[in-house]
Amino acid sequence: MLILSCCSTSPTLSIADDSVFRVAPDGATQARTLAKLMETSGIENLVIIHRGDDYADTLADQTAENFMRFGNVEEPIRYIETSEYFSSVSLLADEVQKLVDAHGTDKVAVLMISFDESVNIVQGASSYDILDDVRWFGAETHVGVSYFAEDAIADESINSVDFTALFVSDEGNEGGATERVVQHIRDEFGTDPASYVKQAYDAAWLIGLSILASDSDDTSVLKETLPIVASTYGGVLISTEMNEHGDLLPLDLAVWQIVDSEWVEQGTYSLSTGTIIPK
């Protein structure tokens, strides 16, 4: 079986010479960039609340490791079941209050690593004034989503915390397939594409083009052909070139923030310079 994932970022799947390929952004790069973004924002103390699975565990650990080079990270708040959301938010409020009392609101931030259960977390956070007083950061899974804006309580709460997250940058790849895909989704669904939709589009093309290029659907043949096709394919992502593990080579990351219930691109993290360039 050959697998091409648009969404997986776990480093546990970075295995050379297997049959798993990925066009998702690199999790380790995201972790470094999140820490850098918080450092440049003046954050010195971080509380992480995250879902209990391999993806979130890894991203939380990697971000904390990078952040601890210049700041303090409290013990992460890890939840699994739906019933744990509000008790987890209560713990979050307690931790943030302690840090704010000691360091001030501008030195403290929350990092939320989650999927659509984020709405429940943000709803719960609205009951604690202290959680509206500090900045919140999120994972790439949040970028472009509309579920905050669709819930009145979550929308008001998320707009008060300068909610910021990262995703692969389109800088330098405007027009062409990018513009067509984004416009098609707007026309069909009335919304901008959320996280990983663009990667899913490119993944479908990479499989199809690899079958055409090799004139075969045999897994052993496609395994050799796919990375070659990915190195030259021009689609929605600025590049789909892969490393020796079959993973997308790291790309610059765009900095997105919720402003007046809309996702607004604020800048780009350049891998070549290690700096955040304002939009």
Side-chain angles (χ1 to χ4, degrees):
M1 181 183 293
L2 181 141
I3 298 173
L4 177 57
S5 173
C6 65
C7 317
S8 168
T9 62
S10 171
T12 59
L13 292 178
S14 293
I15 303 169
D17 201 36
D18 65 359
S19 298
V20 178
F21 299 88
R22 301 188 288 182
V23 288
D26 176 60
T29 300
Q30 180 184 189
R32 288 194 299 273
T33 309
L34 277 169
K36 181 71 174 180
L37 181 60
M38 294 177 203
E39 181 182 15
T40 59
S41 301
I43 304 302
E44 298 176 359
N45 298 274
L46 179 64
V47 185
I48 304 175
I49 181 169
H50 68 90
R51 60 189 290 121
D53 60 17
D54 182 61
Y55 155 72
D57 289 344
T58 303
L59 183 57
D61 289 345
Q62 291 180 331
T63 305
E65 181 181 345
N66 282 276
F67 189 91
M68 284 190 291
R69 294 171 183 168
F70 61 87
N72 163 62
V73 181
E74 295 298 303
E75 184 69 25
I77 298 169
R78 185 178 188 267
Y79 63 85
I80 298 175
E81 301 296 334
T82 304
S83 59
E84 295 180 15
Y85 294 156
F86 293 107
S87 60
S88 296
V89 172
S90 177
L91 289 174
L92 177 66
D94 289 343
E95 292 296 330
V96 169
Q97 185 69 67
K98 291 176 187 176
L99 291 172
V100 167
D101 289 344
H103 307 282
T105 56
D106 60 332
K107 301 297 184 183
V108 180
V110 171
L111 171 61
M112 177 171 61
I113 305 173
S114 53
F115 295 135
D116 55 1
E117 75 273 10
S118 306
V119 174
N120 301 82
I121 295 170
V122 175
Q123 283 177 338
S126 67
S127 300
Y128 299 90
D129 291 341
I130 190 62
L131 294 180
D132 286 340
D133 293 340
V134 298
R135 282 198 66 176
W136 282 51
F137 295 82
E140 84 288 352
T141 52
H142 296 121
V143 175
V145 301
S146 59
Y147 44 65
F148 293 125
E150 292 167 356
D151 182 276
I153 296 174
D155 183 52
E156 181 179 358
S157 184
I158 206 71
N159 271 280
S160 68
V161 295
D162 293 334
F163 190 63
T164 307
L166 304 166
F167 205 68
V168 170
S169 174
D170 291 331
E171 195 72 30
N173 201 35
E174 294 84 356
T178 304
E179 186 175 319
R180 290 198 306 274
V181 170
V182 171
Q183 191 58 52
H184 179 75
I185 290 172
R186 286 172 178 161
D187 293 343
E188 289 290 320
F189 303 105
T191 184
D192 285 343
S195 307
Y196 298 119
V197 172
K198 298 174 183 178
Q199 280 86 336
Y201 175 90
D202 281 345
W205 273 100
L206 288 174
I207 289 291
L209 291 172
S210 297
I211 291 172
L212 290 173
S214 63
D215 194 26
S216 173
D217 60 2
D218 181 82
T219 298
S220 60
V221 175
L222 292 178
K223 179 180 171 182
E224 303 300 324
T225 307
L226 181 59
I228 299 171
V229 172
S231 68
T232 58
Y233 168 73
V236 176
L237 292 177
I238 196 166
S239 171
T240 52
E241 188 172 357
M242 300 174 178
N243 63 19
E244 68 275 13
H245 296 150
D247 294 337
L248 183 72
L249 285 173
L251 300 171
D252 290 349
L253 296 173
V255 180
W256 291 87
Q257 190 174 79
I258 291 181
V259 180
D260 296 331
S261 304
E262 299 285 342
W263 284 100
V264 178
E265 187 175 355
Q266 303 286 24
T268 303
Y269 177 79
S270 169
L271 295 180
S272 61
T273 64
T275 58
I276 296 170
I277 304 167
K279 187 74 172 176

